[in-house]
Amino acid sequence: QIFFNVLLCELLLVAAWHRTSETNQHGEARLLILAVKGIHASVACLAVALLSRLVFRIINHVLCCPQRRWRAIGVGSVGWAASLFFIATASWTVLAYGRCFSVNETRELLQGWLISLAISWLVTEPLAILLVVLVPVVFNTTTCDNMVESLKAMGIEPGLLA
C-alpha cells in the first residue's frame, strides 16, 4: 500500500510540474530548477511513505489487542479509508491534469514519470541500500552504538532513517 501511495505521489508531482521550463532560451538545462524539483519530489514522497507507514503501524498496534475487536475494526477501517482516499484523490487529480494536456504533452508527462521512477529505483535506492550496509561498518564505534541506542530509547527506529 505504501508503495502505491508513493508512486501516485510522484506521478502527481510530475503532472503538477510538467509545464515548468527546465531549460533556458538556449536549450541548456537549468540545474538549480531540476535539483529543487527533485528535492521537493523526494521530500514529498518520503513524507507520504512515512505517514502511510505510521497509519498502518497504528492499525497493526490496535489489531494486536483481541479484547478491543470493534475498536480495531474501526481504526483499521479509518486507516484504509484514508489510504484509499489519497489514491482516489491523487488519481483524479492526475486524470484532470491529463485532460488539460495534449496527447504529446501527456506522452511527455508519462515519459518524465518513467524517467523519475528509473532514477529513484536504479540510482537512489541502490545508493540508499549501500549506505545502510556501509555506514555501520565505517562508523562501528561506541559513539555510534550509543546514538543508535538513544534513538531506540526515544522510539525512533534507526532503520527508518535509512
Side-chain angles (χ1 to χ4, degrees):
Q1 189 63 42
I2 295 170
F3 176 74
F4 291 112
N5 287 347
V6 171
L7 278 181
L8 273 172
C9 175
E10 193 161 2
L11 177 59
L12 181 65
L13 292 171
V14 168
W17 294 328
H18 179 65
R19 288 191 174 159
T20 58
S21 177
E22 297 165 349
T23 58
N24 60 16
Q25 57 261 43
H26 303 294
E28 299 166 341
R30 292 189 286 187
L31 294 179
L32 184 60
I33 301 274
L34 290 170
V36 168
K37 285 170 61 174
I39 290 169
H40 279 106
S42 296
V43 168
C45 289
L46 180 65
V48 166
L50 291 177
L51 185 64
S52 297
R53 183 174 181 191
L54 177 68
V55 166
F56 286 104
R57 275 192 164 209
I58 291 170
I59 291 170
N60 290 337
H61 178 70
V62 173
L63 287 175
C64 290
C65 302
Q67 327 59 319
R68 300 180 182 165
R69 178 179 166 88
W70 290 107
R71 181 178 179 193
I73 291 171
V75 169
S77 299
V78 168
W80 275 100
S83 182
L84 293 174
F85 177 76
F86 174 77
I87 289 172
T89 305
S91 298
W92 179 82
T93 305
V94 169
L95 286 172
Y97 273 113
R99 299 275 302 164
C100 295
F101 297 152
S102 68
V103 174
N104 289 335
E105 286 178 316
T106 303
R107 187 174 294 118
E108 288 175 8
L109 165 81
L110 292 175
Q111 287 173 347
W113 183 46
L114 289 175
I115 291 169
S116 174
L117 290 176
I119 291 170
S120 295
W121 296 105
L122 298 176
V123 176
T124 308
E125 284 298 316
L127 286 176
I129 292 168
L130 253 156
L131 283 174
V132 167
V133 171
L134 291 178
V135 166
V137 173
V138 173
F139 295 103
N140 191 11
T141 64
T142 55
T143 305
C144 289
D145 292 340
N146 291 339
M147 286 184 355
V148 168
E149 291 303 320
S150 298
L151 287 172
K152 286 180 181 178
M154 291 186 289
I156 299 171
E157 185 181 328
L160 182 64
L161 301 175

